[in-house]
Amino acid sequence: LLGIWGSLLVGAAVTAESAPPLSTFLLALSMTNAGWLGHDYIHGIDKFTDVMRPFAAVAAGLGPTWWSDKHNKHHALTNEMGVDEDIATDPFLFPYVPDPENDSPLRKIQHLWFFVPFSFLFALWRVDTLKVAVDSVETKRPDAKNELWYLLAHYAVLFTFFPMPVWLPAVFLSGLMSALIVTPTHQSEELFEEYQADWVTAQFQSTRNAVTTNPFSEWLWGGMQYQLEHHLFPSMPRSKYPALRPILNKFAEDNKVPGGYRESGEFEILYMNWDLYRQVAESDAIQGSPYSRGNGQLGAIDLGNSPGAGGVGLGKLM
């Protein structure tokens, strides 16, 4: 997998001047691939992954500290409203109908332009990474200075070998590809208003796997097609997930897990996510609907210790 990433990066660099559109596409694929590899390394499996922990910063511009802060909470409190940043995507995209006070005119058209905020995923993650990296240095968190150097090295290479007409659209294309992969596996499933004491059942209820149809998709999804396996065993190598699938399927049947083991085709799951946005767009606001940044509960985004605190973008203006 590292070889594929390296080949894509070299190919993008070689074609940056002679074939910019091809270079952009290859660079976007390398960024998405680097994100999945960095995701594996930051979760940690063995000594090798510990050594490779800075890979996401160097190869994708995504900091391990920011990723851990955000992603570990997502794993622990998946789809919990007000806590899980992965479903706090308003005011641009609403996975559930909001309270009128927290509504936005953009909700009514979200199913028509969802691909635009999707494409900003990596750009927003990069900005959040830099914010957390600088704050980590100021608060003297472990290895913070080294992490900042890794990020600076990433941008030095990016700006040296790739002109802006190549790297800028690559960031947005990689964001679109990544969002189309990570978003559907959770947002179309149960969303929780309260803390879920039965963590295992909550993972089954809030997660849907994707069944890929070809080797390219199997690679591009980066292990996220086995989202349930990953959530239950986050430090397990992704190569083991296919063997785990029938075991979890049987577990769900034997224990009568509500909804069972959930999986859909890779295009069906995308349609399900789009249809969710459509249904939410066509619904009237609901008085008392939970705020996406929380109400001060344990781990709530609105406590101010999260990049998502207080809303993002145009949220304050709408």
Side-chain angles (χ1 to χ4, degrees), residues 135-193:
D135 180 71
S136 296
V137 172
E138 293 176 349
T139 56
K140 299 180 179 180
R141 295 182 67 173
D143 208 36
K145 289 185 179 180
N146 286 335
E147 186 172 314
L148 189 57
W149 282 114
Y150 294 138
L151 291 168
L152 293 175
H154 164 79
Y155 285 105
V157 171
L158 189 66
F159 297 156
T160 299
F161 292 96
F162 300 97
M164 182 181 291
V166 169
W167 67 256
L168 186 60
V171 168
F172 289 99
L173 180 56
S174 64
L176 176 61
M177 289 190 291
S178 300
L180 287 171
I181 289 171
V182 299
T183 304
T185 54
H186 288 302
Q187 283 197 358
S188 300
E189 305 310 307
E190 275 86 335
L191 303 177
F192 306 117
E193 293 189 27

Side-chain angles (χ1 to χ4, degrees), residues 112-135:
L112 303 177
W113 80 307
F114 71 95
F115 55 88
V116 176
F118 269 22
S119 67
F120 275 81
L121 181 72
F122 262 24
L124 290 173
W125 282 1
R126 285 168 175 268
V127 171
D128 287 347
T129 281
L130 291 173
K131 288 180 180 178
V132 172
V134 172
D135 180 71

Side-chain angles (χ1 to χ4, degrees), residues 12-316:
V14 170
T15 57
E17 299 295 339
S18 60
L22 176 60
S23 179
T24 293
F25 180 64
L26 294 176
L27 184 59
L29 285 176
S30 75
M31 289 177 177
T32 298
N33 189 25
W36 301 146
L37 287 171
H39 169 258
D40 292 346
Y41 298 146
I42 294 171
H43 267 295
I45 298 170
D46 51 26
K47 291 183 179 180
F48 175 75
T49 58
D50 291 343
V51 172
M52 294 297 289
R53 183 176 171 84
F55 178 82
V58 175
L62 303 175
T65 300
W66 160 80
W67 187 286
S68 295
D69 289 351
K70 173 182 180 296
H71 197 63
N72 289 346
K73 189 164 69 168
H74 163 68
H75 269 262
L77 301 165
T78 310
N79 279 14
E80 184 176 323
M81 298 176 183
V83 176
D84 186 357
E85 278 194 37
D86 285 17
I87 58 171
T89 52
D90 58 288
F92 305 107
L93 294 171
F94 291 79
Y96 61 93
V97 182
D99 183 282
E101 183 180 344
N102 303 316
D103 205 355
S104 163
L106 296 174
R107 178 171 65 86
K108 294 299 183 180
I109 61 169
Q110 64 178 15
H111 58 303
L112 303 177
W113 80 307
F114 71 95
F115 55 88
V116 176
F118 269 22
S119 67
F120 275 81
L121 181 72
F122 262 24
L124 290 173
W125 282 1
R126 285 168 175 268
V127 171
D128 287 347
T129 281
L130 291 173
K131 288 180 180 178
V132 172
V134 172
D135 180 71
S136 296
V137 172
E138 293 176 349
T139 56
K140 299 180 179 180
R141 295 182 67 173
D143 208 36
K145 289 185 179 180
N146 286 335
E147 186 172 314
L148 189 57
W149 282 114
Y150 294 138
L151 291 168
L152 293 175
H154 164 79
Y155 285 105
V157 171
L158 189 66
F159 297 156
T160 299
F161 292 96
F162 300 97
M164 182 181 291
V166 169
W167 67 256
L168 186 60
V171 168
F172 289 99
L173 180 56
S174 64
L176 176 61
M177 289 190 291
S178 300
L180 287 171
I181 289 171
V182 299
T183 304
T185 54
H186 288 302
Q187 283 197 358
S188 300
E189 305 310 307
E190 275 86 335
L191 303 177
F192 306 117
E193 293 189 27
E194 298 179 349
Y195 171 72
Q196 301 297 297
D198 186 344
W199 182 80
V200 172
T201 298
Q203 297 307 309
F204 274 91
Q205 291 181 300
S206 61
T207 307
R208 180 174 295 271
N209 283 0
V211 180
T212 56
T213 56
N214 57 80
F216 176 75
S217 290
E218 185 74 9
W219 167 79
L220 182 64
W221 277 72
M224 296 299 97
Q225 64 270 46
Y226 303 104
Q227 189 71 274
L228 178 62
E229 287 78 0
H230 169 63
H231 263 251
L232 291 173
F233 300 94
S235 61
M236 178 181 287
R238 71 167 85 161
S239 60
K240 306 294 184 182
Y241 290 157
L244 183 58
R245 178 183 173 277
I247 298 173
L248 294 183
N249 210 329
K250 186 175 185 303
F251 176 88
E253 292 178 1
D254 292 346
N255 292 275
K256 296 181 173 55
V257 174
Y261 181 94
R262 307 177 186 191
E263 62 179 358
S264 300
E266 59 182 319
F267 299 109
E268 180 186 0
I269 199 173
L270 290 173
Y271 173 78
M272 291 172 65
N273 197 204
W274 174 84
D275 194 49
L276 169 71
Y277 288 146
R278 180 190 62 79
Q279 292 180 40
V280 173
E282 295 175 353
S283 300
D284 294 328
I286 299 176
Q287 195 74 38
S289 183
Y291 179 41
S292 64
R293 269 80 185 172
N295 56 10
Q297 75 268 41
L298 182 64
I301 297 172
D302 65 5
L303 293 178
N305 59 352
S306 163
V312 295
L314 301 178
K316 303 283 188 179

